[in-house]
mmCIF file of all heavy atoms in Angstrom:
data_model
loop_
_atom_site.group_PDB
_atom_site.id
_atom_site.type_symbol
_atom_site.label_atom_id
_atom_site.label_comp_id
_atom_site.label_asym_id
_atom_site.label_seq_id
_atom_site.Cartn_x
_atom_site.Cartn_y
_atom_site.Cartn_z
ATOM 1 N N GLU D 155 175.277 141.368 161.716
ATOM 2 C CA GLU D 155 176.477 141.936 161.097
ATOM 3 C C GLU D 155 176.695 143.383 161.566
ATOM 4 O O GLU D 155 177.818 143.798 161.862
ATOM 5 C CB GLU D 155 176.327 141.887 159.567
ATOM 6 C CG GLU D 155 177.528 142.349 158.788
ATOM 7 C CD GLU D 155 178.713 141.423 158.981
ATOM 8 O OE1 GLU D 155 178.584 140.382 159.675
ATOM 9 O OE2 GLU D 155 179.778 141.744 158.446
ATOM 10 N N ASN D 159 180.025 144.365 163.457
ATOM 11 C CA ASN D 159 181.004 145.257 162.841
ATOM 12 C C ASN D 159 180.994 146.657 163.413
ATOM 13 O O ASN D 159 182.028 147.180 163.820
ATOM 14 C CB ASN D 159 180.732 145.380 161.338
ATOM 15 C CG ASN D 159 181.312 144.208 160.603
ATOM 16 O OD1 ASN D 159 182.155 143.508 161.147
ATOM 17 N ND2 ASN D 159 180.845 143.989 159.399
ATOM 18 N N ILE D 211 174.983 127.706 183.120
ATOM 19 C CA ILE D 211 176.192 127.046 182.629
ATOM 20 C C ILE D 211 176.751 127.842 181.456
ATOM 21 O O ILE D 211 175.999 128.424 180.677
ATOM 22 C CB ILE D 211 175.902 125.571 182.244
ATOM 23 C CG1 ILE D 211 177.204 124.783 182.143
ATOM 24 C CG2 ILE D 211 175.100 125.474 180.953
ATOM 25 C CD1 ILE D 211 177.018 123.284 182.288
ATOM 26 N N ARG D 213 178.266 127.616 178.068
ATOM 27 C CA ARG D 213 178.407 126.602 177.017
ATOM 28 C C ARG D 213 179.550 126.912 176.071
ATOM 29 O O ARG D 213 180.079 126.011 175.430
ATOM 30 C CB ARG D 213 177.105 126.489 176.193
ATOM 31 C CG ARG D 213 175.833 126.166 176.946
ATOM 32 C CD ARG D 213 175.673 124.755 177.439
ATOM 33 N NE ARG D 213 175.902 123.684 176.535
ATOM 34 C CZ ARG D 213 175.190 122.556 176.489
ATOM 35 N NH1 ARG D 213 174.133 122.410 177.283
ATOM 36 N NH2 ARG D 213 175.502 121.583 175.693
ATOM 37 N N GLY D 217 188.070 132.376 173.266
ATOM 38 C CA GLY D 217 189.216 133.126 173.750
ATOM 39 C C GLY D 217 189.439 133.030 175.247
ATOM 40 O O GLY D 217 190.328 133.680 175.776
ATOM 41 N N SER D 222 183.013 124.664 183.080
ATOM 42 C CA SER D 222 182.039 123.890 182.321
ATOM 43 C C SER D 222 181.120 123.160 183.295
ATOM 44 O O SER D 222 180.698 122.053 183.070
ATOM 45 C CB SER D 222 182.758 122.909 181.397
ATOM 46 O OG SER D 222 183.601 122.084 182.150
ATOM 47 N N TYR D 224 177.678 123.399 186.029
ATOM 48 C CA TYR D 224 176.477 124.134 186.416
ATOM 49 C C TYR D 224 176.689 124.893 187.719
ATOM 50 O O TYR D 224 177.290 124.376 188.660
ATOM 51 C CB TYR D 224 175.298 123.179 186.618
ATOM 52 C CG TYR D 224 174.522 122.907 185.368
ATOM 53 C CD1 TYR D 224 174.557 121.661 184.754
ATOM 54 C CD2 TYR D 224 173.743 123.907 184.792
ATOM 55 C CE1 TYR D 224 173.835 121.409 183.600
ATOM 56 C CE2 TYR D 224 173.014 123.658 183.637
ATOM 57 C CZ TYR D 224 173.053 122.415 183.045
ATOM 58 O OH TYR D 224 172.345 122.175 181.914
ATOM 59 N N ARG E 76 185.357 137.563 162.131
ATOM 60 C CA ARG E 76 186.356 138.399 161.471
ATOM 61 C C ARG E 76 187.751 137.858 161.795
ATOM 62 O O ARG E 76 187.991 137.357 162.880
ATOM 63 C CB ARG E 76 186.290 139.843 161.956
ATOM 64 C CG ARG E 76 184.968 140.327 162.385
ATOM 65 C CD ARG E 76 184.684 141.704 161.800
ATOM 66 N NE ARG E 76 183.610 141.560 160.835
ATOM 67 C CZ ARG E 76 183.699 141.778 159.546
ATOM 68 N NH1 ARG E 76 184.839 142.184 159.003
ATOM 69 N NH2 ARG E 76 182.677 141.603 158.744
ATOM 70 N N SER E 87 193.574 131.990 173.794
ATOM 71 C CA SER E 87 193.175 130.731 174.418
ATOM 72 C C SER E 87 194.290 129.703 174.403
ATOM 73 O O SER E 87 194.483 128.964 175.354
ATOM 74 C CB SER E 87 191.973 130.135 173.688
ATOM 75 O OG SER E 87 190.837 130.920 173.869
ATOM 76 N N GLU E 144 168.903 130.372 154.074
ATOM 77 C CA GLU E 144 167.973 130.722 152.991
ATOM 78 C C GLU E 144 168.419 130.243 151.611
ATOM 79 O O GLU E 144 167.993 130.790 150.591
ATOM 80 C CB GLU E 144 167.720 132.229 152.938
ATOM 81 C CG GLU E 144 167.007 132.711 154.200
ATOM 82 C CD GLU E 144 166.233 133.997 153.975
ATOM 83 O OE1 GLU E 144 166.624 134.781 153.102
ATOM 84 O OE2 GLU E 144 165.228 134.200 154.672
ATOM 85 N N SER E 199 178.684 117.928 173.042
ATOM 86 C CA SER E 199 178.781 118.313 174.448
ATOM 87 C C SER E 199 177.647 117.614 175.168
ATOM 88 O O SER E 199 176.555 117.476 174.635
ATOM 89 C CB SER E 199 178.714 119.824 174.621
ATOM 90 O OG SER E 199 177.449 120.320 174.305
ATOM 91 N N LEU E 204 176.922 117.478 187.043
ATOM 92 C CA LEU E 204 176.681 118.918 186.913
ATOM 93 C C LEU E 204 177.627 119.561 185.926
ATOM 94 O O LEU E 204 177.739 120.777 185.858
ATOM 95 C CB LEU E 204 176.817 119.595 188.273
ATOM 96 C CG LEU E 204 175.770 119.170 189.304
ATOM 97 C CD1 LEU E 204 176.134 119.690 190.676
ATOM 98 C CD2 LEU E 204 174.398 119.688 188.888
ATOM 99 N N GLU E 205 178.301 118.761 185.154
ATOM 100 C CA GLU E 205 179.346 119.292 184.313
ATOM 101 C C GLU E 205 179.070 119.032 182.831
ATOM 102 O O GLU E 205 178.527 117.998 182.475
ATOM 103 C CB GLU E 205 180.687 118.644 184.691
ATOM 104 C CG GLU E 205 181.854 119.555 184.487
ATOM 105 C CD GLU E 205 182.909 119.322 185.559
ATOM 106 O OE1 GLU E 205 182.597 118.653 186.585
ATOM 107 O OE2 GLU E 205 184.032 119.789 185.365
ATOM 108 N N ILE E 206 179.458 119.981 182.028
ATOM 109 C CA ILE E 206 179.447 119.765 180.583
ATOM 110 C C ILE E 206 180.751 119.082 180.203
ATOM 111 O O ILE E 206 181.835 119.529 180.597
ATOM 112 C CB ILE E 206 179.351 121.093 179.811
ATOM 113 C CG1 ILE E 206 177.972 121.688 179.968
ATOM 114 C CG2 ILE E 206 179.665 120.884 178.343
ATOM 115 C CD1 ILE E 206 177.734 122.870 179.078
#
Side-chain angles (χ1 to χ4, degrees):
Chain D
E155 184 66 3
N159 279 343
I211 197 158
R213 303 286 311 218
S222 57
Y224 272 110
Chain E
R76 330 226 112 244
S87 292
E144 295 204 332
S199 68
L204 295 170
E205 212 145 346
I206 289 189

